[in-house]
């Protein structure tokens, strides 16, 4: 069933949809965070489970301070998002979330969870909305550093073999903050996305 | 980002329940639900919240949320709600970071005492015609999760503490000593600091066991551990290394300081102590001292050096402190081995 996803025209269309969605996501994020958000062009790929650790490798980022937050979503499309944060001290983000004083550990965690929720929500809705799918979200939760993040995607190998992964790197301008969002869309929702992309293309052709 | 399909008004209408029953369902759900507009006006307040806040819907609906509940963290909550209105997306809070939104005490009058309800909250945007008309806040009671997690954390902390302590004496065990010593060597190298290391054991321990029995032997071991903990600084690390053998390291001390501490410990250990059978018992200990040097930055080597100095104390007649002298030391203290300090004669008190 993933072969259909790889059909070039649909894949290009999905890339276009995601690009537009991310543009809207960036604008909404900037409004909420009061900082310009620099989003890289999303990379869309069908990824096998064993290739996932490579996606978690953020290259120049510090391994030691890597934080990860995960958030499942369900409804029209089903999947799970993982947001990796650069080791930039969350304290740098205190003012973004409206914390006037030096944040406590709990406040820092809350900030990261909030930020992940906002970014992941914007990304996932950026994909779901143009496809006219409604998505609900489970609460975000913290994973540890990279090894734990790997374990999360690799545990229980019975669950999946391949997923559509949308990979977006982003930065906040004038801040030492970098992040990577990985949106994993599970195999069952690929069929729906395929159909939704089909409808989207038909709609374009009709107008 | 809004789209016609991302519209939850249609979904609610499709439930098949007449609106009156739907309203009743929301009211009777055993989770807290309230709904606010962008300017903070409360549109709906269910029975769960009525019961726990003792504020009736009639006293809050149509009014400003923050004026009715001035204790709410207004700045934070407004920001949170604003993000839901702008992004048109769910938001969440967990009791792990923020124990509660509304403080509800005495939920468990029998078993829970004054424990306040831990709450997980979900902020749900109500989208109609592409716009967020209001946000519903759902408050879930997470007190059970909180209690289990707290018990689990306490158990894990206890297990962690037990796994690093010697059961008989309560001082660190050999495994933890190895870990701490590795860390201390790294720290000393990085910050160019020093530390002293002492190995000691109880003299003629076999005789104590043979004469008084193994239970008294255990008491002798506990006595030495207690004397070591009482005599040394809290920053010094005391560990049971083997049967009647202990290792102590003293951050910040050179070999002279460590030898002084060892001497104090030797004096303290030979003071009589009472066994459980109310017998006064006296024992002595022998000690070997060395110090960390950048060229001896190997924990095994340090232990080996202290062991050799300890052996010299045994050879020299026991109940004494010996200091390891590296081969490269000045001639005055050249003997590669140790110098006996029987009864503290060469070490000032």
């Amino acid at each position: 069933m993933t072969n259909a996803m790889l059909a070039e025209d649909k894949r290009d269309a999905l890339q276009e949809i995601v690009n537009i969605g991310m543009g809207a996501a960036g604008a909404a994020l900037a409004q909420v965070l009061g900082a310009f958000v620099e989003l890289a062009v999303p990379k869309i790929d069908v990824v096998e489970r064993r290739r996932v650790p490579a996606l978690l490798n953020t290259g120049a980022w510090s391994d030691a301070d890597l934080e990860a937050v995960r958030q499942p979503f369900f409804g029209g499309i089903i999947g799970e998002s993982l947001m990796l944060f650069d080791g930039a001290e969350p304290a740098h983000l205190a003012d973004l979330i409206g914390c006037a004083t030096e944040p406590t550990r709990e406040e820092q965690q809350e900030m990261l969870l909030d930020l992940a929720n906002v970014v992941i929500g914007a990304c996932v809705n950026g994909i779901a909305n143009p496809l006219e799918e409604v998505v609900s979200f489970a609460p975000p939760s913290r994973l540890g550093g990279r090894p734990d993040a790997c374990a999360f995607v690799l545990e229980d190998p019975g669950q999946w073999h391949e997923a559509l992964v949308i990979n977006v790197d982003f930065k906040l301008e004038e801040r030492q903050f970098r992040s990577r969002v990985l949106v994993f869309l599970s195999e069952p929702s690929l069929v729906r996305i395929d159909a939704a992309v089909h409808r989207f293309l038909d709609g374009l052709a009709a107008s | 980002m809004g789209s016609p399909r991302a519209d939850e008004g249609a979904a609610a209408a499709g439930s098949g329940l007449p609106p009156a029953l739907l309203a009743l369902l929301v009211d009777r759900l055993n989770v807290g639900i309230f709904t606010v507009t962008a300017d903070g006006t409360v549109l709906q307040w269910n029975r769960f919240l009525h019961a726990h806040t003792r504020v009736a819907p009639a006293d809050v609906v149509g009014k400003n949320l923050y004026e009715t509940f001035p204790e709410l963290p207004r700045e934070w909550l407004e920001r949170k709600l604003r993000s839901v209105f702008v992004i048109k997306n769910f938001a969440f809070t967990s009791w792990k970071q923020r124990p509660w939104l509304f403080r509800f005490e005495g939920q468990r009058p029998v078993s829970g005492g004054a424990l306040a309800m831990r709450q997980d909250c979900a902020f749900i945007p109500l989208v109609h015609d592409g716009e967020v008309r209001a946000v519903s806040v759902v408050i879930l009671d997470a007190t059970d999760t909180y209690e289990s997690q707290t018990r689990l954390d306490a158990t894990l902390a206890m297990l962690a503490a037990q796994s690093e302590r010697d059961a008989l004496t309560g001082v660190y065990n050999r495994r933890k000593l190895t870990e701490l010593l590795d860390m201390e060597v790294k720290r000393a190298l990085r910050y160019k600091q020093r530390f002293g290391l002492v190995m000691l054991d109880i003299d003629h321990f076999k005789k104590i066991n043979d004469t008084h029995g193994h239970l008294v032997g255990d008491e002798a071991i506990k006595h030495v551990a207690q004397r070591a903990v009482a005599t040394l600084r809290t920053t010094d690390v005391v560990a049971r290394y083997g049967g009647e053998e202990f290792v102590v390291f003293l951050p910040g001390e050179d070999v002279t300081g460590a030898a002084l501490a060892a001497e104090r410990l030797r004096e303290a250990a030979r003071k009589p102590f009472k066994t459980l059978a109310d017998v006064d018992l006296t024992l002595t200990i022998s000690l070997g001292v060395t110090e960390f040097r950048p060229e001896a930055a190997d924990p095994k080597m340090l232990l080996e050096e202290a062991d050799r100095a300890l052996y010299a104390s045994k050879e020299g007649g026991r109940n004494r402190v010996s200091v390891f002298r590296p081969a490269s030391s000045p001639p005055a203290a050249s003997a590669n081995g140790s110098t006996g300090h029987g009864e503290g004669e060469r070490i000032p008190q």
Side-chain angles (χ1 to χ4, degrees), chain B residues 103-181:
Chain B
R103 191 181 170 103
F104 300 153
E105 274 181 18
Q107 298 315 299
R108 295 159 186 228
V110 179
S111 64
L115 180 66
M117 183 195 288
R118 294 305 190 272
Q119 297 164 2
D120 284 338
C121 301
F123 296 70
I124 303 170
L126 302 183
V127 182
H128 193 71
D129 291 338
E131 289 303 319
V132 182
R133 304 294 163 169
V135 172
S136 285
V137 181
V138 176
I139 299 173
L140 298 170
D141 183 351
T143 314
D144 280 347
T145 317
Y146 162 78
E147 285 187 321
S148 327
Q149 186 71 49
T150 307
R151 271 199 295 271
L152 181 64
D153 287 349
T155 308
L156 288 175
M158 194 184 72
L159 285 175
Q162 280 176 1
S163 75
E164 62 192 30
R165 294 284 173 176
D166 171 55
L168 177 67
T169 61
V171 300
Y172 289 119
N173 59 22
R174 185 165 174 161
R175 176 168 32 149
K176 187 65 181 178
L177 170 76
T178 309
E179 186 188 318
L180 291 173
L181 194 53

Side-chain angles (χ1 to χ4, degrees), chain B residues 275-321:
Chain B
T275 68
L276 287 176
D278 212 25
V279 176
D280 277 324
L281 199 68
T282 308
L283 56 76
T284 60
I285 58 174
S286 296
L287 307 93
V289 181
T290 188
E291 72 176 336
F292 163 85
R293 306 173 302 284
E295 67 274 17
D298 175 14
K300 276 202 195 101
M301 196 164 128
L302 282 172
L303 290 168
E304 168 69 25
E305 290 172 3
D307 192 37
R308 280 166 65 181
L310 169 58
Y311 182 76
S313 287
K314 295 279 186 195
E315 286 289 289
R318 298 186 168 82
N319 187 26
R320 64 188 60 213
V321 174

